[in-house]
């Protein structure tokens, strides 16, 4: 992911370094190239416009142009602005003193939600928590089996509940956690192919019933900047707290990751880069920005 954007940016910067002193024209043409590189990486148009305007303004300041290492200063400014775009600070999970804390996962079918639930359980287990996974996706018959298999692999109990009512299953899951001393409940919910009314209503009803400390939307990095539309549509109906971006190991151009925070206001909290249980990581905007700049 980000490979082609990284290559483009590195070329632009090495062009600037080769020049020694920089003029306003040099900055203008570098900004034009950065703009093209971001658009080709599928970054949202408005985000690109704002990014290049802000970056250009900072680069044209006298102390940058007249410094001994202007190209290096330009790189530093782009790094700063990219970090800002990705969310600036690390976004932590919301927690409360209530036991158990409840985390609810929502997202389209195939986004990686069920595997993300297990990966998150694994990550929290590694931090000393005793999680419970709740299989609330009652429409895809294999979802509960899949979660159960994953739970078995990582040694985390999966609560399946009786019947077909996901709201009841979520409530019973929380009750089970209380009775069995689990301190975090991760509720997997149904995903559909498109954001639809029934899916939203159900997610809203589960939210109302178990009052999660944290609602995470799982989005597939391969969807490109369309993740912004999916996340915005979802946020209108079910206010969520942050995003797990999955499939960061694929060859996505990166537009989704770079557009999401700016357009939807929702931070990326975790990224997943693989199918294995240990492939979920906390998201650090500064590290990702450095990785993009190479
Ligand atoms: P759900 O329908 O949203 O619950 O999606 P699943 O959790 O079943 O994931 C759909 C497919 O994507 C499965 O084959 C997962 O193994 C795969 N997957 C999920 N996350 C990642 C990831 O970060 N990287 C890769 N390469 N595959 C993933």
């Amino acid at each position: 992911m980000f490979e082609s954007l990284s290559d483009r940016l590195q070329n632009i910067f090495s062009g600037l370094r080769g020049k020694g002193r920089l003029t306003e024209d040099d900055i203008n043409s570098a900004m034009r190239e950065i703009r093209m590189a971001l658009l080709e990486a599928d970054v949202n148009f408005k985000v690109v416009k704002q990014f290049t305007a802000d970056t250009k303004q900072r680069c044209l300041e006298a102390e940058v142009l007249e410094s001994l290492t202007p190209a290096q200063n330009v790189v530093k400014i782009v790094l700063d602005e990219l970090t800002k775009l990705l969310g600036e600070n690390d976004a932590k999970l919301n927690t409360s003193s209530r036991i158990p804390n409840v985390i609810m996962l929502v997202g389209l079918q195939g986004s990686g939600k069920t595997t993300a639930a297990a990966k998150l359980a694994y990550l929290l287990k590694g931090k000393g928590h005793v999680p419970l996974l709740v299989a609330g996706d009652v429409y895809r018959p294999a979802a509960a089996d899949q979660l159960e298999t994953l739970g078995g692999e990582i040694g985390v109990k999966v609560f399946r509940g009786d019947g077909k009512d996901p709201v009841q299953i979520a409530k019973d899951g929380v009750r089970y956690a209380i009775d069995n001393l689990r301190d975090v409940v991760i509720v997997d919910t149904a995903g559909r192919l498109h954001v639809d009314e029934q899916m939203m209503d159900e997610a809203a009803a589960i939210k109302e019933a178990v009052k999660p400390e944290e609602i995470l939307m799982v989005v597939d990095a391969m969807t490109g900047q369309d993740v912004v539309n999916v996340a915005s549509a979802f946020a209108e109906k079910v206010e969520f707290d942050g995003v797990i971006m999955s499939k960061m190991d694929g060859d996505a151009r990166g537009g989704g990751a770079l557009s999401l925070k700016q357009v939807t206001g929702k931070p990326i909290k975790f990224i997943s880069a693989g199918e294995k249980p240990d492939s979920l990581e906390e998201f650090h905007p500064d590290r990702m920005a450095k990785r993009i700049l190479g």
Side-chain angles (χ1 to χ4, degrees):
M1 180 146 161
F2 293 124
E3 278 87 2
S4 105
L5 177 60
S6 283
D7 289 350
R8 293 280 301 264
L9 292 174
Q10 280 168 24
N11 278 339
I12 298 167
F13 295 142
S14 67
L16 287 179
R17 283 197 194 93
K19 284 183 188 298
R21 292 196 78 80
L22 297 180
T23 64
E24 201 170 323
D25 278 351
D26 294 328
I27 298 291
N28 284 334
S29 83
M31 291 305 133
R32 262 197 307 277
E33 289 176 53
I34 289 177
R35 184 189 169 93
M36 284 307 297
L38 290 171
L39 288 172
E40 277 170 31
D42 197 28
V43 181
N44 175 281
F45 177 71
K46 283 189 194 144
V47 172
V48 174
K49 224 171 133 184
Q50 187 69 47
F51 178 89
T52 38
D54 293 349
T55 307
K56 182 165 150 182
Q57 193 185 6
R58 287 184 63 190
C59 290
L60 286 176
E61 280 167 15
E63 59 263 38
V64 175
L65 291 182
E66 286 161 20
S67 69
L68 289 174
T69 51
Q72 224 157 300
N73 287 330
V74 170
V75 176
K76 167 85 179 56
I77 291 166
V78 173
L79 179 66
D80 244 33
E81 294 291 328
L82 266 184
T83 307
K84 244 194 250 171
L85 206 57
L86 289 163
E88 198 137 33
N89 300 312
D90 298 353
K92 300 266 179 254
L93 278 178
N94 294 320
T95 56
S96 82
S97 55
R98 175 179 76 148
I99 303 284
N101 273 207
V102 179
I103 301 170
M104 176 175 159
L105 297 194
V106 296
L108 295 182
Q109 191 175 317
S111 59
K113 193 167 40 58
T114 301
T115 45
K119 291 171 185 172
L120 187 58
Y122 182 77
L123 190 141
L124 292 173
K125 190 180 168 195
K127 288 179 182 275
H129 291 283
V130 189
L132 176 74
L133 284 160
V134 174
D137 183 353
V138 294
Y139 303 102
R140 188 162 67 90
D145 294 340
Q146 184 191 352
L147 196 60
E148 187 128 44
T149 306
L150 293 166
E153 279 171 27
I154 59 172
V156 171
K157 165 82 184 162
V158 175
F159 180 87
R160 299 182 69 141
D162 303 318
K164 284 254 162 214
D165 175 5
V167 176
Q168 193 59 45
I169 293 173
K171 280 206 253 183
D172 291 347
V174 172
R175 161 80 26 216
Y176 180 95
I178 295 169
D179 293 345
N180 292 276
L181 303 173
R182 313 272 157 168
D183 65 347
V184 189
V185 173
I186 300 169
V187 183
D188 186 21
T189 63
R192 303 239 160 67
L193 289 175
H194 303 284
V195 177
D196 67 35
E197 202 66 18
Q198 195 195 351
M199 174 196 194
M200 303 285 208
D201 288 347
E202 185 178 297
I206 298 173
K207 177 180 178 181
E208 179 57 30
V210 295
K211 307 217 163 23
E213 272 75 11
E214 175 83 37
I215 302 180
L216 292 169
M217 173 149 204
V218 182
V219 298
D220 177 345
M222 303 295 284
T223 326
Q225 64 161 296
D226 196 42
V227 301
V228 166
N229 303 330
V230 175
S232 304
F234 212 94
E236 272 176 28
K237 188 84 178 191
V238 183
E239 191 53 42
F240 59 93
D241 303 293
V243 165
I244 296 180
M245 191 158 277
S246 68
K247 308 189 195 178
M248 297 284 284
D249 51 324
D251 56 2
R253 287 175 287 163
L258 285 166
S259 311
L260 194 96
K261 176 75 197 311
Q262 202 83 351
V263 182
T264 68
K266 304 295 181 194
I268 300 174
K269 294 197 174 185
F270 297 92
I271 51 174
S272 150
E275 298 187 75
K276 298 241 160 61
D278 64 355
S279 56
L280 189 80
E281 303 167 26
E282 282 161 3
F283 180 64
H284 303 289
D286 54 342
R287 287 187 210 167
M288 185 57 77
K290 278 189 194 133
R291 210 181 94 189
I292 295 171
L293 291 199

